[in-house]
Amino acid sequence: MNLHVPALAPEAAPVRTTCPYCGVGCGVLARPDGQGGASVAGDPQHPANFGRLCSKGSALGETLSLDDRVLHPEIAGRRVAWDEALDAVAEGFRRTIAAHGPDSVAFYLSGQLLTEDYYVANKLAKGFIGTPHVDTNSRLCMSSSVAAHRRAFGSDTVPGCYEDLDEADLLVLVGSNTAWCHPILFRRMLDAREKRGTKIVAIDPRQTQTGEEADLFLGIRPGTDTALFSGLLVHLADHGALDPRYIAEHTAGFEPALERARQIAPSIASTAAATGLTEAEVETFFTLFRTTQRVVTATSQGVNQSAQGTDKANAIINCHLATGRIGQPGMGPFSLTGQPNAMGGREVGGLANMLAAHMHFTPEEVDLVRRFWNAPNIITGEGMKAVALFEAIERGKIKALWVMGTNPAVSMPRADRVRAALQKLDTYVVSEVAADTDTVRARNAIVLPALAWGEKDGTVTNSERRISRQRAFLATPGEAKADWWIMAQVAKRLGHAKAFAWGNAAAVFREHAALSEFENRGTRDFDLGGLADITDAAYDAAAPVQWPLTRKAKAPQSRFFAQGGFFTRDRKARFVAVQKPALAQGTSDALPLRLNTGRVRDHWHTLTRTGKSPRLSAHRAVPFVEIHPDDAGVAGLTDGDLARVRTAHGAAVLEVMVTPGAQAGMLFAPMHWSEANTSDGRVGALAQGAVDPVSGQPELKATPASIAPEPYRSRGYLITRDMVAAPYGWWWARASLEGATGLIFASQDGAPEASALMRDLFPGATFSEYADPARGRYRAAAFRDARLLGVLALAPASERPTWDAAKAFFRTQELLEPSARRALISGRAESAGTGPLVCACHTVGLDTIRAAIKGGAHGVEAVGAACKAGTNCGSCIPEIRKLLASERAAGELAPASA
Ligand SMILES: Nc1nc2c(c(=O)[nH]1)N[C@H]1C(S)=C(S)[C@@H](COP(=O)(O)OP(=O)(O)OC[C@H]3O[C@@H](n4cnc5c(=O)[nH]c(N)nc54)[C@H](O)[C@@H]3O)O[C@H]1N2
Ligand SMILES: Nc1nc2c(c(=O)[nH]1)N[C@H]1C(S)=C(S)[C@@H](COP(=O)(O)OP(=O)(O)OC[C@H]3O[C@@H](n4cnc5c(=O)[nH]c(N)nc54)[C@H](O)[C@@H]3O)O[C@H]1N2
Ligand code: SF4
Ligand SMILES: [Mo]
């Protein structure tokens, strides 16, 4: 791969890199514009996406500005030189260790770090500082899958690869909103359906876009997956659908596991009763699974983020082992990883219960790693897992914490408590790229500016064990540094210069690969021996490659376990006798519902990146809660109202979305909003986080909750060119707009207060205004020399003015004609809007698509031809299909009611 810039090239050659969002790990071609930005396109040569990108990947170019970046080291808000900051970290750690021992120091890392960064953090903590308390946000993400793999396979091995999704005849998606969270894999699944008639089953308590697209949707009761897959195991056994040869030769423990499954779900009827499904649904699913050889069961957070997550995953793996459907084309259990480098973190040993390179804590393994690192302070056992770790901070047991690449003040369960616990620390270090995260602003910190995507260099591993390069294509901004470099500097100051003396990321990678093959001899799945001697030039040019890749192998191996060969002592897999499912906490009269949390299509976690993109911010602009119509009726709520959702741990005020897709008794709210971008929408504060007994992964999907109306007098929006603080007492959510920033708000204020506010915000400006205080309506636009500065609209709460039309006026800096000024505040502009955004790539709204359908576009392609919606990344195709169906249904009903 040699990217020569032709002498007369009109623009720079693209740089091959990898998307920094989800675990699909799509290849990206980034073309820098020479002004700090870049355009991006899918890399046609990358085997994860073959040129496609989803809405988030396509909008990466909109997230590169330096507006909100940390660009210099800071101590308690004061800008300092690197030396001073690094000395402060080293000194803080040294003091803490001297007074309280090395295990009073902790690291909280992230699946968004590069493998090289992760490796250095792990080595520093576990080998040199000598603290076992290193955990990562992956604890909240896929640690239950890791634990299930280890129980079943003896190692944390993902047996399959993406081609299995192309080659399966049945895809069972359990607790995965694939259409929104792994969109490019979902496109591959839909292609498989097109090509070979693959059936898709979605299992989820709520009807998602994935469920809408599936051939069979099973709306199970939360937390009951173990019963469903126990019932399936029994069904397979009773219908002669087992693979006795595979069970006998390659597994152990089948009988007790089946026996337990019979206690949990002996029949179709009992399975239906345990899961809330109908017997017909259960029977259809069981028959499909039994009669289809090529089955992939793909799992995500509906499985992992549960107090019974490890059992859920093992109940699923049991069914694949029992039928021998593993490690062959189109077959196997498949854990879809969330973050871009969740897998890299597992490889280096970033979790508190792993040591390094897929090794644990047997005396031999500890000794091996000690010798390889020449480590003076090697740890000998597991450290505390995330939930316990933050509790230990609260208790004063952990005194120094280094947070890197994650925002726990938002994303940990019981986030208010976690945030408060940070006050107890003596030394608090945050390596970040964004200046204003809740974790940075929680208290005085040593803030270290890290290189961001596009600036940093290294590798990530995707869900199918494929290692890809992230390459720098932008200049280093300010004084930002690579995370691995920062840690190596601190290591030097702690007296470990020799062991942390790498000159570049390639050197770190070589050491990581060398450890993976050190005294391995086929005893460990993770072996990168073939890359241990990679040169700097080869590393720079490296194409994506799967592991294992041993020194002797001619080619990497894409699947595991078709012929057994598990990483247990007897090389046999283990069936697991799972526990009867029971949710961690019961509902009560005070908390009669259950709060499920998760993601939306166009936002990423705590909004520090997707929040910068106007396109991505338009799909869902405010924090919301989905509720079933029956529950909404009981609570006296209608669509669009604001409601207070409460649990035993916290409360949030969210916009109500009434949908029959919600399960009665359940609420769903996205995890994305933080203190930095909403007044009252921090959903992480509400989640209980009861931990899975095996993996320590917290439950984030079923917290007992209540909901009640939160009445406000007025609703409205405020759009300003420059960021302004929201007035005290308002409920608000902030979103990026083209050329502006906007607040959608609710308030007890009326027209007079709104008018006073505009004068406060824009002193000396001229105003176009419309006020009707009696009716509680007010609109105003502020100008300086005919240049638009800001717009405010306020109306009685029931009217909820929308900004779709007004925001268009900020796209240019041009001076506005008097007629445009009048239109801006007339309120007429509203009805000319295109409605809520559906297609993020071409900014096409709901109303436009509806109009296209009414105008005769009767299929996805026709809609695309009429208004371009759905013609780029395709992430919105499920939503377009849904609109087509609802318009069709409305059309059919029309004559009857006419
Ligand atoms: N757009 C977008 N994509 C992302 C991310 C993002 O922030 N935004 N984050 C990435 C990351 S880190 C991750 S981990 C993945 C997560 O990807 P997903 O796991 O697909 O996403 P979630 O929305 O967290 O949860 C998935 C579903 O689990 C369901 N569920 C809840 N309880 C149960 C249950 O008891 N049983 C079953 N069967 N289902 C249940 C929920 O209703 C939800 O629809 O997404 C990755 N991709
Ligand atoms: N209620 C609820 N909570 C959840 C979940 C849920 O479904 N529901 N899901 C959980 C899951 S699966 C996950 S993965 C977590 C995600 O939660 P977090 O990891 O807390 O979320 P992010 O917003 O991705 O945080 C990443 C941070 O790293 C910064 N950053 C980006 N690039 C770099 C870099 O190169 N170096 C450094 N040092 N920093 C960088 C970003 O600015 C950002 O602040 O949330 C978990 N929490
Ligand atoms: S599916 Fe989308 S978010 Fe995930 S890696 Fe690909 S482009 Fe990025
Ligand atoms: Mo995740």
Side-chain angles (χ1 to χ4, degrees):
M1 192 178 41
N2 201 351
L3 299 172
H4 277 298
V5 184
L8 293 174
E11 50 187 352
V15 174
R16 290 209 133 78
T17 184
T18 311
C19 177
Y21 295 122
C22 82
V24 178
C26 295
V28 168
L29 295 177
R31 211 181 276 277
D33 62 10
Q35 287 154 27
S39 60
V40 299
D43 179 354
Q45 290 177 22
H46 198 289
N49 58 320
F50 300 106
R52 286 168 165 171
L53 293 177
C54 76
S55 50
K56 292 181 295 303
S58 309
L60 274 166
E62 287 180 27
T63 65
L64 301 175
S65 85
L66 298 178
D67 289 347
D68 61 336
R69 285 286 299 275
V70 205
L71 295 173
H72 308 281
E74 285 173 17
I75 299 179
R78 176 175 60 90
R79 180 173 165 180
V80 299
W82 264 113
D83 270 334
E84 187 178 344
L86 295 166
D87 288 347
V89 178
E91 190 42 43
F93 279 14
R94 215 191 326 259
R95 232 184 307 119
T96 303
I97 292 167
H100 308 285
D103 61 357
S104 60
V105 175
F107 285 71
Y108 187 59
L109 309 172
S110 164
Q112 293 171 69
L113 295 171
L114 300 173
T115 299
E116 292 75 3
D117 301 326
Y118 232 141
Y119 176 83
V120 174
N122 199 55
K123 178 177 178 181
L124 175 61
K126 292 181 181 166
F128 290 78
I129 290 178
T131 175
H133 305 309
V134 181
D135 210 35
T136 137
N137 62 2
S138 289
R139 180 69 54 199
L140 318 178
C141 187
M142 42 25 49
S143 57
S144 288
S145 284
V146 173
H149 289 158
R150 289 189 54 209
R151 287 205 296 190
F153 309 147
S155 59
D156 175 22
T157 313
V158 173
C161 59
Y162 291 164
E163 272 174 19
D164 295 334
L165 307 173
D166 310 333
E167 294 184 21
D169 293 316
L170 174 61
L171 292 163
V172 184
L173 308 176
V174 194
S176 163
N177 188 3
T178 331
W180 278 12
C181 296
H182 297 91
I184 297 301
L185 290 186
F186 197 65
R187 293 288 297 275
R188 284 177 80 153
M189 295 176 183
L190 297 183
D191 287 350
R193 173 156 77 186
E194 193 90 337
K195 240 181 270 148
R196 55 188 294 143
T198 306
K199 290 270 186 298
I200 300 176
V201 178
I203 303 175
D204 195 308
R206 78 194 171 106
Q207 177 60 289
T208 60
Q209 290 291 330
T210 310
E212 308 252 2
E213 281 284 319
D215 300 281
L216 177 65
F217 169 68
L218 301 178
I220 63 166
R221 274 207 290 270
T224 61
D225 306 73
T226 310
L228 183 65
F229 285 89
S230 293
L232 177 59
L233 189 67
V234 172
H235 178 86
L236 295 168
D238 291 352
H239 287 76
L242 303 175
D243 183 338
R245 199 187 58 86
Y246 194 90
I247 294 175
E249 287 178 16
H250 303 304
T251 73
F254 177 69
E255 287 306 330
L258 179 61
E259 182 53 37
R260 182 65 61 75
R262 281 195 199 286
Q263 287 163 17
I264 295 170
S267 64
I268 285 183
S270 59
T271 307
T275 55
L277 300 170
T278 65
E279 288 185 31
E281 286 172 325
V282 173
E283 171 130 40
T284 308
F285 171 53
F286 285 4
T287 307
L288 258 177
F289 196 105
R290 170 167 53 83
T291 57
T292 315
Q293 181 65 6
R294 288 181 169 228
V295 185
V296 172
T297 308
T299 58
S300 191
Q301 299 315 337
V303 168
N304 294 336
Q305 285 172 347
S306 335
Q308 339 71 24
T310 311
D311 270 358
K312 284 183 177 179
N314 280 116
I316 291 166
I317 292 171
N318 282 349
C319 294
H320 279 271
L321 289 173
T323 48
R325 295 174 189 161
I326 187 165
Q328 297 188 57
M331 297 177 217
F334 203 138
S335 149
L336 301 176
T337 53
Q339 299 180 88
N341 202 27
M343 293 285 273
R346 285 146 78 159
E347 290 153 18
V348 303
L351 290 162
N353 53 325
M354 322 231 282
L355 177 54
H358 278 209
M359 279 177 277
H360 302 96
F361 294 97
T362 65
E364 300 79 42
E365 288 168 322
V366 171
D367 184 59
L368 185 158
V369 177
R370 181 187 60 75
R371 283 183 288 116
F372 181 85
W373 279 344
N374 201 7
N377 298 314
I378 192 85
I379 56 156
T380 55
E382 296 187 2
M384 284 186 276
K385 298 166 182 164
V387 172
L389 189 130
F390 283 95
E391 284 169 2
I393 293 171
E394 191 175 43
R395 286 198 314 274
K397 171 91 186 51
I398 299 284
K399 303 277 186 194
L401 175 71
W402 193 341
V403 176
M404 210 175 298
T406 175
N407 195 0
V410 184
S411 58
M412 279 291 293
R414 284 176 284 159
D416 285 348
R417 209 170 135 183
V418 165
R419 190 172 56 180
L422 297 173
Q423 307 299 331
K424 298 275 183 76
L425 292 162
D426 294 341
T427 301
Y428 180 49
V429 187
V430 183
S431 295
E432 248 300 337
V433 305
D436 189 24
T437 74
D438 291 15
T439 298
V440 169
R441 53 155 94 170
R443 56 158 283 173
N444 286 342
I446 304 173
V447 180
L448 305 174
L451 292 176
W453 183 77
E455 300 152 8
K456 59 184 181 177
D457 228 321
T459 56
V460 289
T461 309
N462 73 6
S463 295
E464 60 162 357
R465 289 175 276 104
R466 191 179 298 278
I467 300 173
S468 296
R469 291 275 281 110
Q470 268 194 25
R471 293 186 174 86
F473 56 87
L474 298 171
T476 296
E479 294 180 277
K481 293 285 188 187
D483 283 303
W484 70 261
W485 181 91
I486 299 170
M487 287 179 281
Q489 292 301 312
V490 170
K492 275 181 199 157
R493 282 164 173 76
L494 292 173
H496 309 302
K498 217 170 125 223
F500 292 82
W502 310 282
N504 56 18
V508 181
F509 183 83
R510 281 189 290 272
E511 184 178 310
H512 164 62
L515 173 57
S516 76
E517 80 162 339
F518 187 59
E519 299 178 7
N520 186 331
R521 300 180 207 98
T523 55
R524 310 194 297 267
D525 62 338
F526 179 60
D527 188 335
L528 289 183
L531 297 173
D533 301 327
I534 192 169
T535 62
D536 286 1
Y539 178 83
D540 279 343
V545 63
Q546 272 184 299
W547 66 257
L549 182 60
T550 61
R551 190 171 282 274
K552 292 212 190 82
K554 298 270 178 303
Q557 175 187 329
S558 53
R559 295 183 180 86
F560 281 89
F561 310 142
Q563 307 304 326
F566 294 90
F567 293 91
T568 48
R569 290 214 185 272
D570 58 8
R571 290 282 179 174
K572 287 183 171 186
R574 296 288 182 277
F575 282 91
V576 176
V578 295
Q579 301 296 316
K580 189 173 174 171
L583 285 168
Q585 299 110 15
T587 52
S588 61
D589 288 348
L591 302 171
L593 305 169
R594 280 192 188 278
L595 175 65
N596 174 11
T597 64
R599 294 160 168 76
V600 302
R601 190 190 76 191
D602 286 356
H603 271 315
W604 178 260
H605 297 167
T606 69
L607 298 188
T608 61
R609 289 181 293 164
T610 49
K612 293 168 86 169
S613 159
R615 268 198 286 164
L616 297 180
S617 301
H619 180 241
R620 294 284 183 269
V622 296
F624 64 91
V625 55
E626 288 178 8
I627 184 170
H628 189 271
D630 294 350
D631 295 326
V634 171
L637 290 164
T638 54
D639 200 58
D641 286 355
L642 291 176
R644 183 168 294 265
V645 179
R646 265 181 213 287
T647 70
H649 315 283
V653 177
L654 307 168
E655 192 172 279
V656 172
M657 195 182 279
V658 179
T659 162
Q663 189 173 115
M666 289 208 62
L667 306 172
F668 173 83
M671 63 169 289
H672 304 295
W673 278 268
S674 71
E675 184 187 51
N677 44 48
T678 177
S679 59
D680 261 312
R682 284 173 76 246
V683 164
L686 280 68
Q688 200 284 342
V691 297
D692 177 282
V694 186
S695 68
Q697 177 155 359
E699 168 77 73
L700 294 169
K701 304 267 190 251
T703 308
S706 67
I707 190 167
E710 182 79 359
Y712 280 96
R713 176 176 162 204
S714 307
R715 297 283 296 271
Y717 59 81
L718 170 63
I719 308 178
T720 55
R721 287 263 178 224
D722 304 312
M723 187 89 91
V724 297
Y728 181 76
W730 282 18
W731 176 92
W732 57 268
R734 192 187 296 284
S736 293
L737 306 174
E738 264 184 89
T741 159
L743 293 178
I744 290 175
F745 68 81
S747 157
Q748 306 302 356
D749 290 343
E753 292 87 356
S755 169
L757 173 70
M758 283 299 270
R759 278 159 180 81
D760 269 3
L761 289 175
F762 306 106
T766 50
F767 295 92
S768 298
E769 251 177 333
Y770 156 84
D772 185 349
R775 289 207 173 76
R777 296 199 188 113
Y778 177 78
R779 287 167 192 282
F783 297 90
R784 186 158 293 129
D785 307 329
R787 188 175 165 265
L788 182 59
L789 301 176
V791 177
L792 186 151
L794 169 142
S798 58
E799 292 177 22
R800 281 199 292 142
T802 57
W803 65 16
D804 297 318
K807 70 185 186 185
F809 288 88
F810 289 83
R811 284 197 190 125
T812 69
Q813 294 278 354
E814 271 161 38
L815 309 184
L816 290 186
E817 297 293 326
S819 61
R821 296 196 202 187
R822 277 193 302 277
L824 189 53
I825 58 152
S826 68
R828 267 183 291 122
E830 237 99 83
S831 53
T834 66
L837 187 87
V838 176
C839 170
C841 295
H842 294 299
T843 43
V844 190
L846 184 73
D847 298 347
T848 310
I849 296 173
R850 278 215 180 108
I853 298 171
K854 289 211 172 82
H858 288 314
V860 171
E861 261 128 63
V863 167
C867 64
K868 293 179 89 174
T871 56
N872 185 43
C873 80
S875 300
C876 64
I877 288 175
E879 278 162 280
I880 297 174
R881 251 198 263 281
K882 193 174 164 190
L883 281 173
L884 280 161
S886 69
E887 290 296 317
R888 211 173 291 134
E892 277 160 17
L893 290 176
S897 60

